[in-house]
Amino acid sequence: MQTQLVNITSEALAQAGALIRSGELVAFPTETVYGLGANALDAAAVKRIFEAKGRPGDNPLIVHISHLDQLAPLIAVKPSPMARALMDACWPGPMTLIFPKSEAVPMAVTAGLDTVAVRFPAHPAARALIDAARRPIAAPSANRSGRPSPTTAQHVLEDMDGRIPLILDGGACDVGLESTVIDVTGDIPRILRPGGVTPERIAAICGGVRVDDAVMRPLREGEKPRSPGMKYRHYAPRGQLTIVQGESDAVTQRINELYDAAIERGQSPLILALDPHLPAYAPRRALSLGPDAAGMAHALFNALRDADALGADVLFSEAVPADGVGLAVMNRLGRAAAFHIIEV
Ligand code: TXA
Ligand code: MG
């Protein structure tokens, strides 16, 4: 199959909408990461997503809508007051809510679960695509399973060339990390995956929040997670990643020691660091993670892909405090490192 990469024009959107209606896949930009979309109401189309990504069949997809009136047909009961408050405050935006599913949603989308994840994205091209398709669109991140999520159309092409007919190129994504996934089926909102909508913000809207305790640790042997995505080693670069956490000077010193020891062993190490600290690693090889936690959200997946392109076989990364958007950053970094974290 030939993969076309096109700029977003009204012709391109009409072509993309027709592809979705005919059961094909289209990759498209959102404000978080690029998605790989299919008609959410067509089980055969949805199965193609799993094939193109090499995604395990038990990991459910998010259904994307472009108008609030598309929600009711997807869910079994009315949104609770808590869910309504979150929708009013954070949609359209980088937030996904888990509801009891209706009969209309194929089991292929929810991987057999009786709940469905729904997101109303803010990105105009994502919404225009859903409008053009005239159907809700099921879309995971548009990477091959296990690879860092794509934040540019180039990343999508690297992973999906020859596997899908069309990529809509909307430039680099704003947030750079996937949406916050919140289970709203209980009494208080439970964060299953942290993202751009922070726990602090959710608590302010709902008067309380729980962060699922599997967010910042590996799953235990045989543990059944509330979100199947927690099971899989995500976002992994090819090199082995270690996070070094602690007071800034101690972190720099330890990373430099680890780097020098890797060179001694004949390895090809790489440092991932915040901008203000980069000079302290010279003349060693280091990539920028941006100025702060929000910058790191934006830069992280790109840096992990660059690390692969540079052929790094061991990586050492600085950490950021796990509050605000820093929780999402540390969740992704932690998973990429298989939670290999050194405290100094
Ligand atoms: O920002 C995003 O959310 C992007 C863009 C494309 O919208 N999408 C995305 O999809 O990150 P994906 O498939 O890479 O991640 C979906 C996550 C997985 O961790 C999955 O396990 C979880 O959402 N999920 C989906 N449906 C669920 C459900 N019914 N219950 C619990 N977790 C669910
Ligand atoms: Mg993903």
Side-chain angles (χ1 to χ4, degrees):
M1 184 187 291
Q2 276 279 80
T3 301
Q4 252 188 297
L5 193 152
V6 298
N7 289 327
I8 297 165
T9 59
S10 47
E11 294 78 47
L13 286 167
Q15 183 197 357
L19 280 168
I20 296 278
R21 279 196 302 282
S22 71
E24 292 290 341
L25 306 184
V26 175
F28 62 99
T30 83
E31 69 276 25
T32 57
V33 301
Y34 274 73
L36 180 60
N39 177 358
L41 305 178
D42 176 348
V46 166
K47 288 208 177 96
R48 290 195 157 150
I49 294 179
F50 287 85
E51 284 159 22
K53 279 187 61 108
R55 182 177 178 103
D58 64 351
N59 196 5
L61 306 177
I62 296 172
V63 179
H64 297 70
I65 59 174
S66 56
H67 295 277
L68 275 185
D69 56 14
Q70 293 165 331
L71 177 64
L74 303 172
I75 63 180
V77 294
K78 275 195 160 174
S80 63
M82 168 182 92
R84 275 240 69 100
L86 286 168
M87 288 158 55
D88 288 346
C90 304
W91 271 359
M95 178 183 79
T96 297
L97 298 180
I98 309 283
F99 298 99
K101 82 183 251 323
S102 74
E103 294 288 315
V105 181
M107 282 294 182
V109 171
T110 65
L113 297 178
D114 54 10
T115 52
V116 60
V118 184
R119 175 155 111 81
F120 182 170
H123 198 294
R127 287 156 66 174
L129 173 64
I130 302 165
D131 286 346
R134 303 194 298 272
R135 281 146 184 74
I137 292 185
S141 48
N143 50 291
R144 298 292 314 273
S145 228
R147 295 264 293 147
S149 294
T151 56
T152 67
Q154 265 317 313
H155 294 164
V156 179
L157 190 63
E158 275 169 34
D159 281 18
M160 291 295 160
D161 197 13
R163 298 176 161 264
I164 60 173
L166 187 66
I167 303 172
L168 297 175
D169 186 350
C173 299
D174 256 10
V175 182
L177 294 180
E178 307 89 338
S179 61
T180 306
V181 177
I182 311 171
D183 182 348
V184 289
T185 61
D187 299 338
I188 65 166
R190 178 192 287 268
I191 298 178
L192 301 182
R193 180 179 72 182
V197 173
T198 62
E200 293 82 353
R201 175 128 188 253
I202 299 165
I205 296 163
C206 300
V209 65
R210 250 201 94 166
V211 179
D212 198 272
D213 58 1
V215 161
M216 282 313 294
R217 60 165 173 80
L219 285 180
R220 288 185 273 269
E221 188 71 26
E223 179 177 357
K224 186 167 177 287
R226 280 174 200 268
S227 179
M230 290 172 167
K231 265 198 311 228
Y232 299 102
R233 177 157 182 244
H234 276 301
Y235 323 115
R238 297 198 182 93
Q240 206 212 326
L241 171 64
T242 298
I243 302 167
V244 183
Q245 196 163 29
E247 189 271 315
S248 153
D249 287 342
V251 167
T252 310
Q253 195 190 334
R254 177 64 71 87
I255 288 183
N256 280 337
E257 287 163 12
L258 290 166
Y259 183 104
D260 295 344
I263 293 282
E264 289 280 305
R265 287 194 300 273
Q267 288 180 300
S268 176
L270 178 69
I271 296 165
L272 306 179
L274 292 172
D275 288 346
H277 306 149
L278 283 173
Y281 296 107
R284 298 170 187 83
R285 192 166 63 157
L287 285 183
S288 162
L289 291 175
D292 52 20
M296 194 159 158
H298 194 73
L300 180 62
F301 287 145
N302 204 14
L304 295 178
R305 282 181 183 256
D306 284 351
D308 284 351
L310 289 168
D313 53 16
V314 274
L315 290 88
F316 305 106
S317 180
E318 296 185 344
V320 286
D323 53 21
V325 78
L327 180 68
V329 169
M330 290 310 293
N331 165 265
R332 306 308 193 278
L333 194 61
R335 278 172 192 275
F339 291 99
H340 190 228
I341 302 175
I342 298 177
E343 298 276 351
V344 292

